Amino acid sequence: MRQMNIKKIFQVISYLQYPLMLLALFFSIKPYLNGMDYISENLDAVLKDYSYVLIFMGLGISFSTLQDTTKTQNNFSKKIWEDPKKGKKMILLISFLTIATLSYGIFGYFISDNEKVKELSFGAIVLSIGFIGFLKTALEVFNNHREDKKSSVN
């Protein structure tokens, strides 16, 4: 029996992102399954569910960063990462999302006195940690695939 190399092991582990994202999706629609009256009458429960959405999204994104950065998932992402201008724009977008989400999370958790805001902020912090890993992975994918940095081998 051949031993799996480390990249393949991490690639397999990265598939845990899918059940985690499904959990996030479940918690995002859960309040609506009980009806609109439930949402307006149980705002605390809805906010708790949305905090779970952020937490499971952050975990899912974190697991997605374990994928092999020398490969792209599809042609759409390949077109982005091969084009230097599109790749840089994507890096800037991910950076902005990371900073904005982390800022909200830190402000809400450490500065706000509102318990509802604190609960959502914890989820935002977990999501931000996932975004930080995603940003590092995006930088690696960009450096591995950009057309202007590829050397031609004859």
Side-chain angles (χ1 to χ4, degrees):
M1 185 171 135
R2 263 181 47 206
Q3 279 190 330
M4 293 179 74
N5 68 25
I6 297 297
K7 274 189 178 181
K8 286 183 182 180
I9 291 170
F10 280 116
Q11 180 71 25
V12 170
I13 293 170
S14 77
Y15 289 117
L16 288 173
Q17 69 183 295
Y18 298 112
L20 291 167
M21 288 298 192
L22 284 173
L23 275 171
L25 178 63
F26 167 73
F27 282 109
S28 69
I29 62 171
K30 182 182 167 197
Y32 300 101
L33 297 175
N34 296 320
M36 296 307 280
D37 290 335
Y38 173 83
I39 293 172
S40 61
E41 294 169 3
N42 299 293
L43 190 57
D44 290 344
V46 172
L47 289 175
K48 189 172 191 165
D49 285 340
Y50 286 154
S51 181
Y52 291 151
V53 169
L54 297 173
I55 290 168
F56 286 117
M57 281 181 62
L59 290 171
I61 291 169
S62 293
F63 275 96
S64 75
T65 64
L66 297 175
Q67 292 176 346
D68 186 1
T69 58
T70 60
K71 300 175 184 169
T72 55
Q73 295 291 323
N74 51 49
N75 286 333
F76 177 73
S77 63
K78 187 174 184 179
K79 287 179 185 177
I80 291 171
W81 297 121
E82 286 181 348
D83 185 325
K85 288 182 182 177
K86 290 179 185 175
K88 287 176 186 174
K89 285 180 184 177
M90 187 59 75
I91 297 297
L92 285 173
L93 176 65
I94 296 168
S95 298
F96 173 76
L97 284 172
T98 303
I99 291 168
T101 308
L102 187 59
S103 297
Y104 168 76
I106 289 172
F107 170 79
Y109 195 77
F110 293 107
I111 298 173
S112 177
D113 292 329
N114 186 325
E115 285 303 314
K116 294 174 186 173
V117 171
K118 282 186 180 276
E119 190 166 333
L120 275 177
S121 297
F122 178 76
I125 291 170
V126 174
L127 180 61
S128 300
I129 292 168
F131 281 161
I132 291 168
F134 184 62
L135 178 60
K136 182 190 180 302
T137 299
L139 286 166
E140 287 179 14
V141 170
F142 183 48
N143 286 329
N144 286 335
H145 294 282
R146 56 191 290 183
E147 288 292 325
D148 63 336
K149 297 286 184 177
K150 286 185 178 177
S151 61
S152 58
V153 178
N154 293 334

